[in-house]
């Protein structure tokens, strides 16, 4: 029997990049996967991929930065599947700029999606997990939240906040048989990182001990582990998936 047979996973930001990789991997492990994001057409494309592999998936469009949207996504997921066993808070954006040029709008936009979005989704979903006395919450942070990065003060702050949020709610929910962990990806080849200049990529590669960039599947494998029964005694942890960048 597949690891996650009979379970439902809700993955935010699941239409591309790391989120898409996670959604596909959890579906391969037997979970019914609800994919949330702002682009319904892109979400439906991932659902088609899941169904072509004989998995089961649903798309729910909305913005995690909007509390009402988060609540609606969770309610629709529960209506469609009856439960939420795994929540992956992956939705994230960047609005890079040096501090002196960083607008307040771009500061709030990144914090609202990356950090408040995780709060909105977790608050909306956790009640059903408490009722069923089980659950796994996995938040996608970043090594930038551990190391910082010039030109990404807003992104670093949001991802460091995700780590603090993870540890705090892990303490709150441990007695309810709900685990809460985070993964901190390094340089993963996605649409988001493709926008970097070749010069930036060369410089970044020099800082990666394994001398290669990661793939979404590298992160998805760790998320699958944290969502599986094998990780039932792990909570409040941050696992870096970065080829050694932050060691």
């Amino acid at each position: 029997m597949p690891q996650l047979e009979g379970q439902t996973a809700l993955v935010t930001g699941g239409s591309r990049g790391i989120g898409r990789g996670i959604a596909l991997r959890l579906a391969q492990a037997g979970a019914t996967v609800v994919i949330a994001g702002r682009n319904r057409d892109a979400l439906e494309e991932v659902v088609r991929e899941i169904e072509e592999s004989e998995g089961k998936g649903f798309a729910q469009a909305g913005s995690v930065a909007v509390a009402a949207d988060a609540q609606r996504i969770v309610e629709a997921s529960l209506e469609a599947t009856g439960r939420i066993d795994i929540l992956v808070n992956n939705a994230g954006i960047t609005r890079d700029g040096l501090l002196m040029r960083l607008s307040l709008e771009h500061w709030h936009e990144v914090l609202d999606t990356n950090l408040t979005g995780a709060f909105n989704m977790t608050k909306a979903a956790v009640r059903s997990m408490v009722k069923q006395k089980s659950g796994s919450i996995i938040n996608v942070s970043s090594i930038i939240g551990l190391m910082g990065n010039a030109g990404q003060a807003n992104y670093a702050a949001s991802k460091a906040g995700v780590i603090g949020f993870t540890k705090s709610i892990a303490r709150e929910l441990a007695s309810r048989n709900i685990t809460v962990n985070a993964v901190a990806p390094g340089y993963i080849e996605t649409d988001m990182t493709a926008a970097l200049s070749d010069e930036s990529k060369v410089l970044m590669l020099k800082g990666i001990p394994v001398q290669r960039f990661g793939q979404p599947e590298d992160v998805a494998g760790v998320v699958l582990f944290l969502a599986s029964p094998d990780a039932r005694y792990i909570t409040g942890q941050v696992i870096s998936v970065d080829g050694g960048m932050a060691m």
Side-chain angles (χ1 to χ4, degrees):
M1 179 183 292
Q3 282 175 289
L4 304 180
E5 188 73 39
Q7 297 192 41
T8 295
L10 172 54
V11 181
T12 69
S15 65
R16 59 192 178 95
I18 291 173
R20 173 182 169 275
I22 291 170
L24 293 175
R25 189 65 176 272
L26 296 182
Q28 288 168 4
T32 296
V33 182
V34 180
I35 309 162
R38 290 181 293 185
N39 187 330
R40 176 167 288 281
D41 290 341
L43 295 172
E44 294 287 1
E45 180 60 35
V46 180
V47 169
R48 280 193 289 273
E49 287 186 69
I50 290 172
E51 291 175 343
E52 285 170 3
S53 299
E54 299 185 351
K56 184 178 290 187
F58 298 92
Q60 291 294 336
S63 171
V64 298
V66 179
D69 276 14
Q71 186 66 43
R72 178 178 52 76
I73 289 167
V74 166
E75 289 175 358
S77 300
L78 290 169
E79 185 177 344
T81 69
R83 58 191 295 122
I84 297 173
D85 300 282
I86 302 156
L87 171 64
V88 182
N89 287 311
N90 167 75
I93 61 170
T94 57
R95 296 291 185 268
D96 296 349
L98 295 174
L99 178 62
M100 289 187 292
R101 298 177 182 174
L102 186 62
S103 68
L104 187 60
E105 179 185 1
H106 282 176
W107 171 269
H108 282 301
E109 194 173 352
V110 170
L111 268 291
D112 286 350
T113 297
N114 299 5
L115 182 54
T116 305
F119 164 78
N120 287 338
M121 290 299 301
T122 303
K123 186 174 181 181
V126 77
R127 190 178 300 275
S128 68
M129 291 184 175
V130 169
K131 285 181 179 179
Q132 68 198 27
K133 297 181 181 178
S134 67
S136 175
I137 299 169
I138 299 139
N139 298 318
V140 179
S141 179
S142 169
I143 60 159
I144 302 303
L146 296 169
M147 300 171 59
N149 194 36
Q152 288 193 306
N154 50 359
Y155 185 75
S158 72
K159 293 302 188 177
V162 165
I163 291 172
F165 177 67
T166 297
K167 291 178 178 291
S168 294
I169 61 172
R171 290 184 180 276
E172 289 186 24
L173 299 174
S175 64
R176 306 301 183 95
N177 196 35
I178 300 168
T179 60
V180 188
N181 293 287
V183 293
Y187 186 103
I188 307 297
E189 291 187 321
T190 65
D191 293 344
M192 187 182 290
T193 56
L196 295 172
S197 68
D198 290 340
E199 182 181 2
S200 295
K201 292 177 183 177
V202 170
L203 288 172
M204 196 169 290
L205 189 60
K206 290 180 180 179
I208 304 175
V210 301
Q211 288 294 289
R212 67 175 179 84
F213 299 132
Q215 301 298 319
E217 292 76 18
D218 296 320
V219 181
V222 177
V223 171
L224 173 58
F225 165 69
L226 291 172
S228 75
D230 290 337
R232 64 185 178 273
Y233 200 57
I234 299 173
T235 196
Q237 302 305 305
V238 182
I239 300 179
S240 295
V241 187
D242 63 359
M245 282 183 74
M247 77 166 93

